Amino acid sequence: MTKRAGILAAVGATVAGLVAAVPPAASDVPSAPRAAAPLTWTGCATKAYPALQCSTVRVPLDHDDPSGQQITLALSRVPHTAGTSQGPLLVNPGGPGGSGLSMAGFVASALPAGLAAQYDVIGFDPRGVGKSTPALDCVPGHFGPVRADTVPDSPAAERKNRERASAFAAACGEKHGGLLPHMDTASAAKDLDVIRRALGAERISYFGYSYGTYLGAVYAKLFPERVRRLVLDSNVDPDGVWYEDNLGQDHAFDARHKAFAAWVAKHDAAYRLGTDPAEVEAAWYRMRAAVKQRPAAGAVGAAELEDTFLPGGYYNGYWPLLAEAFAAYVNEGDEEALAAAYEDFAAVDASGDNGYSVYTAVQCRDAAWPRSWRTWREDTWRAHRKAPFMSWSNTWYNAPCASWPVEPLEPVRVANHEIPPALLFQATDDAATPYEGGVVMNRRLKGSSLVVEEGGGNHGISLSGNECLDRYLTGYLADGTLPRAGGSGPDAVCDALPEPEPTSAAADTEESADTEGAADTGAKSTGSRGAVLHGLLGFHG
């Protein structure tokens, strides 16, 4: 699951262009599975995505009452230009809570031009998200600094964080009580079929990252006859939604934090934090203890420090910037460098508040969570003893689900023998969606092919600069070609991209324009397509 409290979407300028161009709502979509009136598309081009168009579509709040209350979804499109079209390709960046409007422009520009020209690439803000209406925002400013330390050092400290999580859940119920029963993945998947009908398509292709893999798999389960091609990148474990999946993240993110420490140690000449990874990691925890006692620049306490460095677990392209801030604080006492990194990677704006509200609404509704706080406490301390980097932070992020005001649903079981063969991508060291998720999804979707990035630790790996992975993606989208290895292992294996090299602040200012829209995410510093993608995918801030 890509978590969105700190949505630093690499769409700053791009989304600004989208907002002004969204037209009035389209006509109500009929409930019967027939073609709807054509959508009205208007130009909402940006410098990065000059062909982008926008529209809206109305969907039932409750799909069991299609003539009842309607809500509006915001759509984006890069239309096909080839003489022969392969139909719509819906794209989703994950979350739940991620805005997908700029994903259409990104995917259309990242695919080979001749292939992209064959598809209508469709982005969308799922129900409750972004420019869709109504949009959720349970507690504006919920992540404002300086928050209490996530690791409780007393019963009173634990009680304070638990009360904060419970208050968030109660506020969601009070403010959005009519929406929360309908904020779930199955409802969002049914929305996709309304979009399909509004597009006038018999079938759709779908390309989802992170939580978007579960959304795509649920759509395929509910509407198998409507699936043409299905690409799922960085798969959640569909059998673990959502409590067990989050426990798995605790250990995986700790491993990525150790990988970051090892990288910093490898580049001791640049950062002067030691040549032993354990020594570097110990320096990080000393820094954490220091900002707990005295927040850096009055803004970065222990909780904010965790949020600042968590994006490094999603994408190693952020490591150089994070290492620079780390070294500046430890070696020079530079609090402003740490505060600047917090602003780049973790500070939460209104879109982040919206993203977190949708995240909790969907995950708490999708499946049952323990109602006994003792279970949460025991499981978290057990994880923390082995994986201290973010176990408690992750628990508090999800703790509203312990007292969510709406009863949970039974999760959709995505096992599927009825859809065309799907293409799955998974990195072996992904922290947000650990490797086992790809293995399980591969088993559940009969006939699917699993492509593995060996040694890769990034979350979201296709269209991120790995040509080996992208060859499989483009071959599949072009004509349905899939790798087949036979046996029980992956169907294809690609080597991970090389790790980043240290960068200088001076070099950061000279990056090329291909990162337009990513300046607010720290993505611009890497000057790569991968940086733009990972800004779009977002992360828990």
Side-chain angles (χ1 to χ4, degrees):
M1 298 78 58
T2 299
K3 298 177 181 174
R4 310 287 299 206
I7 283 186
L8 303 173
V11 295
T14 305
V15 166
L18 291 173
V19 173
V22 174
S27 301
D28 287 359
V29 176
S31 59
R34 60 179 183 270
L39 294 169
T40 299
W41 296 95
T42 61
C44 54
T46 68
K47 183 178 178 182
Y49 308 129
L52 205 62
Q53 301 173 345
C54 291
S55 187
T56 59
V57 65
R58 302 276 282 177
V59 302
L61 173 64
D62 181 354
H63 284 278
D64 290 334
D65 182 18
S67 62
Q69 181 180 349
Q70 303 288 297
I71 59 176
T72 301
L73 305 184
L75 308 178
S76 63
R77 176 179 78 165
V78 177
H80 77 278
T81 56
T84 301
S85 171
Q86 296 210 46
L89 172 63
L90 274 65
V91 296
N92 179 268
S99 170
L101 294 181
S102 284
M103 281 298 295
F106 172 79
V107 171
S109 64
L111 289 172
L115 177 59
Q118 299 172 30
Y119 283 95
D120 292 307
V121 184
I122 308 293
F124 59 97
D125 276 356
R127 55 175 54 205
V129 175
K131 299 306 164 187
S132 292
T133 56
L136 272 66
D137 189 349
C138 298
V139 182
H142 183 69
F143 287 94
V146 173
R147 310 195 313 273
D149 188 0
T150 57
V151 181
D153 55 13
S154 68
E158 181 179 335
R159 185 167 56 253
K160 181 178 179 180
N161 271 327
R162 187 182 176 193
E163 289 172 351
R164 178 173 176 270
S166 297
F168 184 91
C172 284
E174 293 170 5
K175 192 172 182 179
H176 300 296
L179 297 176
L180 295 188
H182 310 290
M183 292 298 299
D184 59 274
T185 300
S187 292
K190 292 172 184 177
D191 291 344
L192 298 187
D193 208 55
V194 176
I195 295 172
R196 176 194 63 78
R197 298 200 304 268
L199 293 168
E202 288 295 319
R203 295 187 297 165
I204 61 169
S205 298
Y206 178 91
F207 181 5
Y209 291 91
S210 192
Y211 162 79
T213 64
Y214 185 63
L215 175 59
V218 170
Y219 178 79
K221 181 68 173 182
L222 298 180
F223 304 98
E225 73 283 1
R226 299 303 183 187
V227 176
R228 184 173 182 271
R229 292 190 182 129
L230 183 65
V231 181
L232 308 180
D233 185 323
S234 302
N235 293 262
V236 303
D237 183 342
D239 294 352
V241 293
W242 291 111
Y243 184 73
E244 292 299 327
D245 280 351
N246 275 277
L247 289 176
Q249 283 186 330
D250 295 343
H251 297 275
F253 271 105
D254 194 79
R256 287 307 290 163
H257 191 58
K258 285 178 167 59
F260 167 68
W263 180 85
V264 173
K266 178 181 176 182
H267 296 287
D268 181 59
Y271 303 118
R272 298 180 292 117
L273 290 167
T275 58
D276 179 3
E279 179 183 350
V280 173
E281 188 178 21
W284 191 90
Y285 282 102
R286 287 194 299 272
M287 176 173 65
R288 187 190 190 284
V291 299
K292 175 183 178 180
Q293 296 301 318
R294 181 176 178 274
V300 185
E304 290 75 27
L305 189 76
E306 290 171 338
D307 291 349
T308 301
F309 281 79
L310 187 65
Y314 284 90
Y315 177 52
N316 63 10
Y318 298 139
W319 287 0
L321 289 179
L322 294 171
E324 287 172 10
F326 179 13
Y329 181 85
V330 171
N331 296 330
E332 302 164 22
D334 187 346
E335 297 186 11
E336 294 300 328
L338 211 54
Y342 166 73
E343 287 296 325
D344 281 345
F345 291 104
V348 179
D349 59 11
S351 66
D353 288 334
N354 167 244
Y356 180 63
S357 297
V358 175
Y359 171 87
T360 50
V362 173
Q363 295 225 332
C364 298
R365 178 65 166 152
D366 264 356
W369 294 70
R371 300 299 274 192
S372 167
W373 185 250
R374 179 178 179 178
T375 300
W376 291 72
R377 177 192 297 117
E378 291 178 351
D379 285 345
T380 306
W381 278 121
R382 187 179 302 113
H384 178 85
R385 283 190 287 271
K386 294 182 178 180
F389 172 58
M390 58 85 78
S391 293
W392 270 107
S393 175
N394 203 21
T395 287
W396 297 125
Y397 197 89
N398 293 282
C401 295
S403 55
W404 199 246
V406 180
E407 288 298 311
L409 300 169
E410 286 294 320
V412 176
R413 302 302 177 186
V414 303
N416 203 322
H417 292 199
E418 301 178 44
I419 57 172
L423 176 62
L424 316 181
F425 292 98
Q426 200 77 23
T428 56
D429 300 329
D430 184 355
T433 52
Y435 179 73
E436 185 63 21
V439 175
V440 173
M441 191 71 84
N442 186 211
R443 292 175 186 151
R444 298 291 174 263
L445 303 184
K446 184 179 180 180
S448 62
S449 288
L450 176 63
V451 178
V452 169
E453 187 180 51
E454 183 65 39
N458 290 338
H459 178 65
I461 54 176
S462 62
L463 298 184
S464 190
N466 190 319
E467 294 181 1
C468 175
L469 298 173
D470 290 352
R471 281 196 297 272
Y472 291 111
L473 173 65
T474 57
Y476 177 69
L477 290 178
D479 57 20
T481 299
L482 286 167
R484 296 294 187 194
S488 58
D491 294 282
V493 177
C494 295
D495 292 335
L497 294 173
E499 290 182 338
E501 293 294 326
T503 58
S504 68
D508 293 344
T509 64
E510 300 174 359
E511 296 298 344
S512 63
D514 64 357
T515 57
E516 180 201 349
D520 292 338
T521 70
K524 188 173 183 179
S525 64
T526 66
S528 70
R529 192 175 70 197
V532 178
L533 170 63
H534 288 90
L536 286 166
L537 299 186
F539 35 78
H540 164 193

